[in-house]
Amino acid sequence: MEVKYGNMTFNLNDILNEKTFCVPNFQRGMTWSTTKKKNFVKTLIDGNPFGTILIYKDNKNNNILIDGLQRITTIRSFYASPYKYVTKEIIDTKLINNLIKNIKRTCKAIGLKLEGVEQRLDFDKIRNYIFKGLAEKKDYTEIKNNLLNYLKINLYPRDTVEIERTLKMIIDDVVLKINIDNLRVYAISYNGDEEKLPEIFYNLNTGGVKPSKYEVLASLWNDVKYDIKDDRLINKVYERYDILKKDSQLKITMTKDELKKNGITLFEYCYAIGTIITDNKNNYVSFLGKSKNTTEPIGFDILSLVLGLKVNEANKLDAKLNNAPAKFLVELKKVIIDGFDHIYDALEDWIFTEQGNAILLRSNYMIYHMFMAYIKMNYDIDCVNYNIMRKKTPQIEKWNNNFKKKLHLHYFFDYMSNYWSEHRQVSDLMNLINNPKELFKYSSDIPDSEWKDMFERFKSMQVKENRGTISNKSKLFLDYLVKFKIKENPNLRRRYFKSKDDKSPLLIDVEHIVPKERIKQIYDIANQPVSLCLTSAIGNLCYLTATVNRGKREKTIYESQEDRPGYIVDETFIEFVNYPKENELQFLKGKFDVFNKGYTSFINNRADKLIKEFMDLKF
């Protein structure tokens, strides 16, 4: 057997020097949890061994860090901010008790009464004060003064000598415990073939914090590079290494010029596509949401779908694109952006509420399906000859126009009907993508019978959910209804939902018509359990501006009018936001039985009224 490795040792100064190690392009970002870091720090301060790291000496004599990134970065972070990784329990119990005894002895010696002091001489509180002072990098004199101020003890400096001595012992003991100046990190230095490094990295990381299936591809796809010069793709790839550099504080040899010169891997390309899609600047996150993953899965998902694979078959992308020219990959990026741009154009007026915020539906399969409908209608993508052709016919142009006009209704309908909750399996998505009738439905009207069935299920579900909070479905419904009205009469938005400069929105929110607290009080007085679902049912909700809502508290608008001289209910506004007429709320003045029956009838009747109005206005 040929041995292809040796050994090296690094001291603390080596670890703290950002030039000691370089990070390879297949290395992951920071993956250890806070708990994992703290457990590792405990190993450090206990002086226990923690295993070796693996490096590779390249032809420039750089130490390429193959395995050990999490350990090296945790050591550096601990040295910079040790009290982030240890708890107050690191302070010796006996020393704290000695400090308390010395404080009592000092007070007694100078004739101070202990009655008030003893109540504050709580062991945990004393320890908390000391630990807080250490974390804030205060010296023992400052910690002593803060502690005496808390204890409300005024002492001359000559009287605090023994207290200072004990306190200094505590601090010195902690400092000694967290000192890692004698740290030694042992390394295996690999001297075999460089092309084997990704494989070695993969094998090492199949245990411990397991890499995601996408991060595994970073090491498996490291041998093929694409000569891509596209600035947007290059910038996104470089951002990945820049983030890794900032997080790890280690040397990164990668530059933008090197990426352009040497090319990027398929993993880097997929990563760049994912970060382009989830970039806050392009607003796609308003309907997709922002992932917290260091590697965005959506880039791999979308490329798989566009190239005719299943959404979970990213591992087959290398076979699809192994010989693809760079031009094809750049054009593919443009196709993907075009697809998401058209979805955003169609949904822009509907995904942002009148409050200015997006209601995140968290239904990526729904967006994937809409995306693939647009792509399949508008493009022929040849993965054999690597050609992309834009299809242009009068029929396609007509479909695109209807897609833009009607997509928001399908977006609303599919979410409200739980369509993608019921079709959330990969097999469901792929069957629907391969079904032309389902794929191209977005340019067609939804039959009224289906709307009716959907709203019946929606009403039934509201009764069963028993939630006290306002659901996303209720918010979406109310927002769409208000938008329908604004579409018919744009003056309504300018009159009620815009500030004087006609730019920034007023403070508006989805509010309860009969306030939750009032319902709860009525049921409490009657000693009856309140059904939470009834408090936030769609029939009890509407948009209200701060001007109308301020000061109303647990009252209706009409009751509030009686208490606010000069305030007049705006009938046009009442109609605009579908606030009920005063006579519809008479049940509030009755006893519990009258209220209970009247309120149930009110929210059911009002829900029916809102749904009917929605149906009348939706086109």
Side-chain angles (χ1 to χ4, degrees), residues 411-423:
Y411 178 83
F412 175 90
F413 183 91
D414 284 354
Y415 179 69
M416 297 290 285
S417 65
N418 291 326
Y419 185 84
W420 290 103
S421 296
E422 297 167 4
H423 296 82

Side-chain angles (χ1 to χ4, degrees), residues 375-380 389-393 396 400:
I375 296 299
K376 285 205 169 190
M377 177 58 75
N378 285 274
Y379 292 97
D380 277 330
M389 186 184 76
R390 180 72 186 255
K391 298 185 285 186
K392 290 186 178 181
T393 67
I396 291 173
N400 284 340

Side-chain angles (χ1 to χ4, degrees), residues 23-27 218 222 225 240-241 254 265 267-268:
V23 181
N25 63 349
F26 51 78
Q27 183 62 267
N222 205 53
K225 293 196 174 183
R240 177 174 186 265
Y241 299 112
M254 190 67 65
T265 67
F267 170 81
E268 290 169 334

Side-chain angles (χ1 to χ4, degrees), residues 408-419 446-465 471-482 484 537-539 603-604 606-619:
H408 69 283
L409 291 173
H410 288 276
Y411 178 83
F412 175 90
F413 183 91
D414 284 354
Y415 179 69
M416 297 290 285
S417 65
N418 291 326
Y419 185 84
I446 302 168
D448 280 356
S449 59
E450 292 184 21
W451 281 105
K452 182 179 179 181
D453 289 344
M454 181 274 288
F455 278 127
E456 285 299 323
R457 291 196 302 273
F458 170 59
K459 285 174 57 184
S460 174
M461 187 59 66
Q462 281 211 314
V463 173
K464 295 176 182 177
E465 281 182 336
S471 69
N472 271 355
K473 289 182 180 178
S474 295
K475 292 177 182 178
L476 197 68
F477 175 85
L478 290 175
D479 197 71
Y480 264 63
L481 189 53
V482 163
F484 289 150
I538 191 68
I603 60 172
N604 286 330
R606 187 166 178 276
D608 290 338
K609 178 184 175 183
L610 295 178
I611 290 169
K612 182 179 183 306
E613 188 169 21
F614 186 103
M615 293 289 290
D616 292 341
L617 293 173
K618 69 180 185 296
F619 296 118

